[in-house]
Structures are given as C-alpha cells and as structure tokens.
Amino acid sequence: MHGLMQDWPLLCHKILDHAARQHGGREIVSRSVEGPIERTTYAAVRARALKVAQLLARQGYGEGDRIATLAWNTGRHLEAWYGIMGMGGVYHTLNPRLFPDQIAWIMKDAGDRVLFVDLSFMALAEAIVPQVPSIEKVIVFTDAAHMPQTSLENAVAYEEWLKGADGDFAWVTLEEGAACGMCYTSGTTGNPKGVVYSHRSNVLHAMIACMPDAMGISCRDVVMPVVPMFHANAWGLAQSAPMIGATLVMPGPRMDGAAIWELLDTERVSFTAAVPTVWLMLLNHLEETGRKLPHLNKVVIGGSACPRAMTRKFEADYGVEVIHAWGMTEMSPLGTLGTLKPEHDGLAGEARLDVKQKQGFPPFGVEMKVTDDENRELPWDGRTFGRLKVRGPAVAKAYYGGAGAEQFDEEGWFDTGDVAHIDAEGFMQITDRAKDVIKSGGEWISTIELENLAVGHPDVAEAAVIGVAHPKWDERPLLVVVAKAGRTPTKADLIAYLEGKVAKWWLPDDVAFVDEIPHTATGKIQKTTLREQFRDHVLPAA
Ligand code: AMP
C-alpha cells in the first residue's frame, strides 16, 4: 500500500520561492566587490535569479550543465546560484585559493561550460580559462561602469547581460534526485574529487541545518555566512537562511577582523559561521580596539578544531554562544554540532568547556560510527578512537567519475578519513585526520589535542603538531609554534605548560618556532608541507 500524499519534489528553487513569498522584504546585505554596501531583498533576488535562468536557458544551457562560479559571498553570487539551479543547471563553486593549474584541472574534470567571476579574480580567470576548452562564456559580476579590459573572449558584465531578460520564466521541473551543485574537495594528496549535490540533498540539508539543536536559526535572525559559498556551500547557509527567511549579510571579499566586526555591528548580525582562522583575526581586532559584540548571539566554528581558548573567549568575554561543528564537503557539509543536551545541564567552567571542545552530535539525517582497522565497531566510551564513518541523505554515495571508490562500503558508510571517539551522550570528538595521527610505539597520539592545548598558552598565536621519525618509537611529536607578536616563549615554557594536561608520553619531544604555519585553501593547517619542511629535523636525545 502506498501513502496517498502528494509528490512534491524537493527542489532548491522552491526555497527561494518560499523566501520571496513569505519573507519577500527581508534583506540580503552585501559588501560588494566594488566596495560599497549593497542591499537587496529575497523578492528581488528571486526576480533576478529568474532572469539568470531565462538567459542561460535561452543561450543554450540546460539540465545537468555545469556552470562554474569563482566568487565571494554576495547577493549576486546567490542570485546566480538559484538561477543556475532553476534552469536545471549545476552550480560549481571554485575555490580561488587553490593554485591556478589545480582550478583549471577541476574545471576540465567537471566540464564547466560557463564561468561567473568576481572582479577580484579577473587575472586568475585570464590565466585559467584558456586552459579549459569547455568554457564558452564568462560573465563578470559587475556593471558596465566597472567592467575591466580583459583578454577573456566572450566576457560580459553581469548587469549588462541581465538587461537582456525580462524574467518571464518558469523554473524547470526536475526530479528531486537531479544534480544541482558541485564542489571539489581539497585533497591534500592526489587530485581533488568532485562531490555532486542533488536538489533533494540540498533541501534536506537546509532543513536539517535549521533545526533548533543544529544551527537553530529563525526569520528573526540576521545571519552572516563568513564561510565562503565556495567552501562546502557556505555550510548550507545560502539555502537554510532563505528557507527560514533570515536576513542575510554577505561579507564579500573582506574577511579581516575590522571588516567583519563592522558588518557584525552595523548590520546587527545575530548568527555567524566561519573557520577558526577568521575568528582569530576578529578576536585579535577586539582585543586591540576594545570593541564588543553586543548583537551577536551565536557563532558556529568548524572546518578545523575550535581551540578551547577561543570558545572561552567568545563565551566569557563577549557573551557569544559557540557552537563547535564538524562536517565535510562530502556531507553537504554538516555532520555534528556541539549544542549541549539536557544531560549537560549543571556543568560549568572547565567541565562545560570539556564538552564544548568536542565536535558534538549529529542531527537527524546523519548516522555515525567509529571502527577499528578491521571495520569492527568501537564502543561509545569517549576514549576509544578509530575511523569515523557516516551515512545519510545528504552524504555523498560516490565521487564524480568514480574516484575514491574505496571510501564507500556496501552498507552505505562513507569513511571520512577522520579519527574520532564518541562518548556515552553521543558526542563525537575528532582526534586527528587518519594520515596525521602520530603513531608512537604502536600507540596513537592526537595531534589536534596537543595543538588545542598549546594555543591555550598566552604567548602562542598558532600551533601545529606533526610526527617526526624516531629510531625507537617510529614517530614522536614535534610542536611547531608561531609566537604572538612581541612574545618569546621557550621550549621549556611550552613543555611545562603541557605537563599534567596530557599523558607524559604524549609530550612533544621538541618545539620549533616559525614565523608562519602553512594553510590549505580551506584554512586548515597544511601538515604535508610542514612534514616536508621538518623531514630532516633531528629530535633531541631523550
Ligand atoms: P572540508 O571538506 O574542506 O570542509 O574538510 C573536511 C575536513 O575538515 C574534515 O574531514 C575534518 O578533517 C576537518 N574538520 C572539519 N571540521 C572540523 C572540526 N570542527 N574539528 C576538526 N576537524 C574538522
């Protein structure tokens, strides 16, 4: 017997229809690439997205066509996304922080036919597009007055291009499993792998993200996704904010502490999200200027582990609730969020921070487990760590073109490549990337835990821990530190600081001071480069 409920396919453009109808006047505020702050509404974004869809369809693009974007978070980028999806196309976000050759490789792999690009990336586009024969058209997110001279063929200013449409267009009807978006993972080894989102997975993910114990946003919130749309869909906020009717503040090209603070303050942002590096810049700015965060209620921090000191500072000094979150491009990206459960009521001080330090529990729609190397499930005891595996309706079941097939098993579990433990309350804590964990005398040492502790030292700006070859123990930890400006901590200071906080055999054998720690295009510490840099490092004899 079948249910007798309507077939109402979960399609992304229905999110924008809903936003325009129910929250039509709600604003989308952008720091434009040209400079000024620009304001639009969900109703206007929908009207212009329809023009994008109409023009693309008229110019010969249709279902399944990959349309690339190389752009910051702005209202224009948002319109283009919905326009692309609404004519059946697949938005393909490109990360401008990758090397040009890598971006070109990704575009060729995806077979992108059109490129929408911000003014900031014109030189980059000029270097890349000639290497990508499938690109037929370049649309520059600007108006005629700001359109630069360019060597790109078939380049047009977005605002001029839009003048050719009246928006009299009906979104195409698709089945909900149709592809609507693509994003490549920034693999540290091998070629990047393409993740292909469907309308259904994006809509479900957006609903999941809005739930109270997930991101918990409402139409009363002013939401600022600092995390870029090119980094795992801005963690879904470009879909959940319109779905719930929240005001959106788009930070455009500026992510320095002063620029972020200005938007948080003038636009009265209540909810924001980004990687720890961004928040480090903001917190430094607040310390330097004595400014406060009177409007902000919640900050979601993920992409790499949120240092304990950061949670403490946001919550104790600025009254902002921190939600530590974990996810991956392959998971659309939300996996777990660290909102507390009633079981944690009554915890205070360091005991509360112990829980907030964890990456949290999954919302409905994500299942997880940890296994040993023989794929045996490990207990949820908050100690035993193993490979973290996940499944759910917004989790990838394959990569584009069949790459990385070994990460998916017959039961639908995706091996995240992360190492984690899960406690009795279901709270997961990442201890490492599988390839970064230090194996010392057959036992594992968590580099993330050591890094989190080290950045709690008052003289430390940033810390990374890597394994260095050791004749007896195979590998031992080396702590690499960037000191805060004007501070000169010593190795002895740092080791003494860590003593008593971790098992003795976890203590780093050595400390190296550097001016800078290398980062990947998504803001994670680039351990491969660091390991290369310290390959010949000789640890002091015990
Ligand atoms: P990406 O697909 O670029 O978002 O990268 C996903 C990876 O980032 C995960 O597999 C983790 O290794 C790492 N990651 C994301 N969030 C966190 C977090 N809160 N703590 C530690 N690692 C994280």
Side-chain angles (χ1 to χ4, degrees), residues 97-107 185-187 190-192:
R97 296 175 186 139
L98 295 172
F99 293 116
D101 285 351
Q102 209 169 11
I103 303 177
W105 185 93
I106 286 172
M107 294 175 78
T185 58
S186 44
N191 285 323

Side-chain angles (χ1 to χ4, degrees), residues 373 385-387 419 437-440 442-446 505-506:
D373 283 340
F385 49 86
R387 291 184 158 274
V419 176
V437 70
I438 297 174
K439 292 175 182 135
S440 171
E443 299 285 343
W444 289 10
I445 297 176
S446 159
W505 62 274
W506 277 37

Side-chain angles (χ1 to χ4, degrees), residues 185-239:
T185 58
S186 44
T188 42
T189 51
N191 285 323
K193 296 190 277 277
V195 176
V196 185
Y197 307 109
S198 65
H199 282 266
R200 173 186 156 85
S201 71
N202 268 0
V203 171
L204 286 174
H205 182 270
M207 294 172 88
I208 290 167
C210 289
M211 291 199 289
D213 294 313
M215 295 220 185
I217 52 172
S218 99
C219 63
R220 294 171 185 280
D221 274 305
V222 179
V223 171
M224 177 158 84
V226 181
V227 54
M229 289 160 77
F230 58 74
H231 182 192
N233 287 325
W235 299 351
L237 287 167
Q239 275 119 7

Side-chain angles (χ1 to χ4, degrees), residues 6-14 173-177 199-200 203:
Q6 298 184 4
D7 287 326
W8 193 88
L10 303 176
L11 297 172
C12 289
H13 36 266
K14 290 186 175 177
T173 304
L174 301 149
E175 48 108 7
E176 62 181 19
H199 282 266
R200 173 186 156 85
V203 171

Side-chain angles (χ1 to χ4, degrees), residues 185-186 231-232 235 301-306 324-330 333 359 416-418 430 432-433 448 522 524:
T185 58
S186 44
H231 182 192
W235 299 351
I301 305 182
S304 6
C306 171
H324 190 190
W326 164 85
M328 308 180 76
T329 303
E330 290 87 334
Q359 276 76 2
T416 63
D418 284 328
I430 300 278
D432 244 312
R433 284 297 288 168
I448 293 186
T522 49
K524 301 182 212 313

Side-chain angles (χ1 to χ4, degrees), residues 277-469:
T277 351
V278 167
W279 302 126
L280 206 59
M281 290 191 285
L282 177 74
L283 290 172
N284 284 341
H285 175 77
L286 297 177
E287 253 170 62
E288 281 160 22
T289 57
R291 288 175 165 156
K292 299 283 179 212
L293 299 170
H295 312 294
L296 191 61
N297 296 327
K298 275 190 205 174
V299 56
V300 176
I301 305 182
S304 6
C306 171
R308 190 182 186 99
M310 185 170 279
T311 306
R312 187 186 285 125
K313 210 168 258 180
F314 266 118
E315 298 205 335
D317 298 356
Y318 299 102
V320 176
E321 182 189 348
V322 169
I323 302 180
H324 190 190
W326 164 85
M328 308 180 76
T329 303
E330 290 87 334
M331 301 180 73
S332 300
L334 290 184
T336 60
L337 297 107
T339 41
L340 299 186
K341 292 183 175 178
E343 290 85 325
H344 302 117
D345 285 356
L347 289 179
E350 295 305 309
R352 188 169 171 278
L353 279 177
D354 285 344
V355 180
K356 299 215 72 159
Q357 182 74 47
K358 302 187 177 198
Q359 276 76 2
F361 69 101
F364 172 77
V366 178
E367 294 175 358
M368 64 176 185
K369 66 175 181 182
V370 279
T371 68
D372 65 12
D373 283 340
E374 274 74 53
N375 199 23
R376 284 183 300 238
E377 195 165 345
L378 295 170
W380 289 23
D381 60 6
R383 270 198 331 269
T384 314
F385 49 86
R387 291 184 158 274
L388 178 61
K389 297 181 180 168
V390 294
R391 61 185 183 188
V395 176
K397 66 176 174 189
Y399 288 111
Y400 184 59
E406 66 287 352
Q407 278 176 266
F408 305 89
D409 73 17
E410 325 66 68
E411 291 169 10
W413 292 99
F414 167 66
D415 187 337
T416 63
D418 284 328
V419 176
H421 52 69
I422 305 175
D423 68 18
E425 276 78 42
F427 267 52
M428 183 276 287
Q429 183 159 19
I430 300 278
T431 59
D432 244 312
R433 284 297 288 168
K435 58 190 183 312
D436 294 337
V437 70
I438 297 174
K439 292 175 182 135
S440 171
E443 299 285 343
W444 289 10
I445 297 176
S446 159
T447 64
I448 293 186
E449 192 166 337
L450 287 171
E451 286 159 6
N452 276 335
L453 289 168
V455 290
H457 189 283
D459 295 344
V460 172
E462 199 178 10
V465 174
I466 51 168
V468 173

